[in-house]
Amino acid sequence: MKITAHKNRTINLSPPSIIALGFLALILVGSILLILPVSHHGDVTWFQAVFTATSAVTITGLSVVNVGEAYTVFGKIVIMILLQCGGLGFMTFAILAAMSLAPKMGLRQQVMAQESIGQTSLKKISTTIKGVFLYSLFFEAIGTVILTIAWLQDYNFAQAFFYASFYSISAFNNGGFSLFPNSLMSFADQYLITFTISMLYIIGGIGFLVLMDVRQHKRWRKLSTNSKLILSTIAALNLSAFILIWILEASNPQTLALMSVGDQAVNAWFHATVPRSSGFNSLPMDQLTNASTLVTMFLMFIGGGSLSTAGGIKVGTFIIVVISVISFLRREDEIRLFKHSIPEKTTFKALAVVCITALLIATGFMSLLILEPDQDFLDLLFETVSAACTVGLSRGVTSELQPASLLILMLLMFAGRLGPLTLAYFIATPKKSRLKHPPSEIQVG
């Protein structure tokens, strides 16, 4: 895309550059709004406002202040807007606005849209973006109605509606921001609230293309290979994580042991599904067993579906790598999935996402270890994975970190929201070479 600087000079910006600048602009505007006196109660610094804005725009949920107490109603509304903009994506809003001004999009704009939303067909961009917008409003509206009814037992209508709106937007966009100091731990035994919020972040994390495919075809056999893969993998991950977390925490008196069987099931389900990018918690994260903490980090690393509000490497990336390894061990000529072959380029792309994300986490973790020698090893690793995968879960050390460490977390959140591949393209734009080189055998393994 070209932006005119002077009459005879233009600035060439790639789609990843546009996305990055868009998110930076949102963070800047959000930071300015959050530092205004009308936004807080006088105990929020510039750095804390920038951190909150970054966390909201990248739909992470990490916070160095108590959002419910530190910010006014206006400040909370600003956070809601930042969560919505970050969840749907700056490019989605930009392209939607461009579509409303012009009946047809130019080729350059279509390519920019294609890269920003991960769509392979230029003809489907308009339908996809409209679907993203409408689906978001639809599910958030349903969540707001249900949560308003649930919270009317404890608050008046205005308070219940405001809480419901905030949590619906935060949950569907996998933001993880909470207005209560202990997240959702106070509602661990209120099934309607926990179940509604869990369904919001699960649906938001499936991916809009999959939701549109399900709505259009309605039958499993008619769904695309991508939709079948995402839905079956998410179901398998949620079910296995639910059983595993329940088993690991059932004897832990700090989490599930003292609960009734019904409460155990609900909270085990909530914690099994929440690490996929949401950031809420109904159990004390720092009291989980080490095994459960490891499982949680693994789930955070995987994340949700592509073109969704979730973070991580994405479910499709994870399963493609797993299937590729299995196919190699079986010495199969091609990688097959639901009676379809997977292109070699897709496998390379999946491996690149995994490697770049792992490198991002390793670099951030090493930096935190150097800057925070007195902090617990596991706490810092958990914080790093949570930030890089834009999840927002924490073992309670975020507010204890020094500014330099918080800056590292902000960079991780920003890079994680942009997406590993987008970041890679942004740093080093791939170039095609006409020169072909002879093959060489390299010893591997």
Side-chain angles (χ1 to χ4, degrees):
M1 182 178 180
K2 292 184 178 180
I3 297 179
T4 303
H6 295 286
K7 290 184 178 180
N8 299 320
R9 290 168 54 189
T10 57
I11 302 175
N12 290 310
L13 292 177
S14 65
S17 303
I18 297 293
I19 297 172
L21 291 175
F23 278 116
L24 284 175
L26 280 174
I27 292 172
L28 177 61
V29 173
S31 301
I32 294 174
L33 290 175
L34 288 177
I35 200 59
L36 294 176
V38 70
S39 297
H40 58 85
H41 296 295
D43 53 356
V44 174
T45 65
W46 258 105
F47 190 84
Q48 290 171 336
V50 173
F51 189 92
T52 302
T54 303
S55 185
V57 171
T58 59
I59 54 174
T60 303
L62 290 175
S63 180
V64 291
V65 297
N66 186 326
V67 174
E69 296 178 358
Y71 292 101
T72 63
V73 173
F74 178 81
K76 293 167 187 173
I77 292 175
V78 170
I79 293 174
M80 289 170 59
I81 295 173
L82 293 177
L83 286 169
Q84 190 73 284
C85 292
L88 296 182
F90 169 79
M91 290 305 298
T92 302
F93 275 101
I95 298 167
L96 192 63
M99 288 170 50
S100 66
L101 296 175
K104 293 184 179 180
M105 298 174 65
L107 181 59
R108 289 184 180 274
Q109 286 72 29
Q110 291 187 51
V111 172
M112 182 175 67
Q114 178 183 351
E115 290 199 29
S116 66
I117 66 176
Q119 180 58 270
T120 56
S121 174
L122 293 175
K123 296 180 181 179
K124 295 181 180 179
I125 290 176
S126 175
T127 303
T128 301
I129 294 176
K130 289 178 181 177
V132 168
F133 189 74
L134 294 176
Y135 274 68
S136 298
L137 295 181
F138 175 73
F139 287 111
E140 288 170 1
I142 292 178
T144 299
V145 172
I146 296 175
L147 291 176
T148 298
I149 296 173
W151 267 315
L152 278 175
Q153 301 177 7
D154 304 311
Y155 306 99
N156 60 44
F157 178 78
Q159 290 176 311
F161 179 76
F162 184 78
Y163 282 139
S165 301
F166 187 95
Y167 277 88
S168 292
I169 292 175
S170 184
F172 185 78
N173 290 289
N174 280 254
F177 272 88
S178 176
L179 299 180
F180 303 104
N182 58 358
S183 191
L184 295 176
M185 291 173 59
S186 299
F187 305 98
D189 59 346
Q190 298 190 28
Y191 301 165
L192 182 60
I193 293 176
T194 53
F195 181 75
T196 300
I197 289 177
S198 70
M199 291 308 298
L200 282 171
Y201 62 66
I202 288 174
I203 294 173
I206 287 177
F208 293 103
L209 289 179
V210 177
L211 293 175
M212 294 169 65
D213 192 25
V214 171
R215 182 180 180 277
Q216 180 180 358
H217 296 102
K218 296 181 177 62
R219 295 183 180 181
W220 177 261
R221 62 184 181 86
K222 292 185 178 181
L223 296 179
S224 66
T225 302
N226 177 71
S227 297
K228 292 178 180 178
L229 172 67
I230 299 302
L231 291 173
S232 58
T233 304
I234 287 179
L237 283 172
N238 288 346
L239 181 60
S240 57
F242 164 64
I243 296 173
L244 191 56
I245 293 295
W246 197 350
I247 293 174
L248 293 174
E249 295 298 322
S251 59
N252 184 354
Q254 303 298 324
T255 54
L256 298 182
L258 303 181
M259 295 182 179
S260 65
V261 175
D263 288 353
Q264 285 187 2
V266 170
N267 286 277
W269 166 260
F270 194 86
H271 185 75
T273 55
V274 94
R276 308 291 299 290
S277 193
S278 176
F280 296 109
N281 65 282
S282 62
L283 300 175
M285 300 304 302
D286 57 338
Q287 299 299 321
L288 295 176
T289 63
N290 289 338
S292 295
T293 301
L294 181 62
V295 171
T296 303
M297 287 191 289
F298 178 69
L299 294 173
M300 290 194 295
F301 184 76
I302 295 175
S306 298
L307 191 55
S308 73
T309 58
I313 62 171
K314 303 297 187 294
V315 170
T317 302
F318 167 73
I319 200 64
I320 286 297
V321 171
V322 171
I323 294 175
S324 299
V325 172
I326 294 175
S327 297
F328 175 79
L329 294 177
R330 290 179 176 177
R331 297 180 180 274
E332 296 175 344
D333 295 332
E334 62 178 4
I335 302 171
R336 291 185 293 273
L337 185 65
F338 294 111
K339 297 181 180 181
H340 287 78
S341 63
I342 305 300
E344 191 178 64
K345 183 179 180 180
T346 302
T347 302
F348 289 151
K349 181 178 179 180
L351 288 172
V353 171
V354 172
C355 291
I356 293 173
T357 305
L359 180 61
L360 187 67
I361 292 173
T363 303
F365 180 48
M366 176 63 74
S367 301
L368 290 185
L369 287 176
I370 296 173
L371 294 171
E372 305 287 346
D374 297 329
Q375 292 289 346
D376 182 74
F377 181 93
L378 186 59
D379 289 347
L380 292 180
L381 178 58
F382 192 93
E383 202 84 4
T384 304
V385 176
S386 181
C389 298
T390 66
V391 178
L393 291 174
S394 175
R395 288 169 60 88
V397 301
T398 310
S399 58
E400 300 175 3
L401 302 178
Q402 57 178 296
S405 300
L406 294 176
L407 179 60
I408 296 296
L409 292 183
M410 283 193 285
L411 293 174
L412 289 174
M413 290 187 289
F414 185 77
R417 183 57 185 145
L418 283 180
L421 267 186
T422 303
L423 183 64
Y425 289 152
F426 180 64
I427 296 174
T429 304
K431 297 180 180 180
K432 293 183 179 180
S433 175
R434 297 180 180 179
L435 181 63
K436 300 296 181 181
H437 300 279
S440 179
E441 292 292 333
I442 305 296
Q443 296 298 320
V444 177

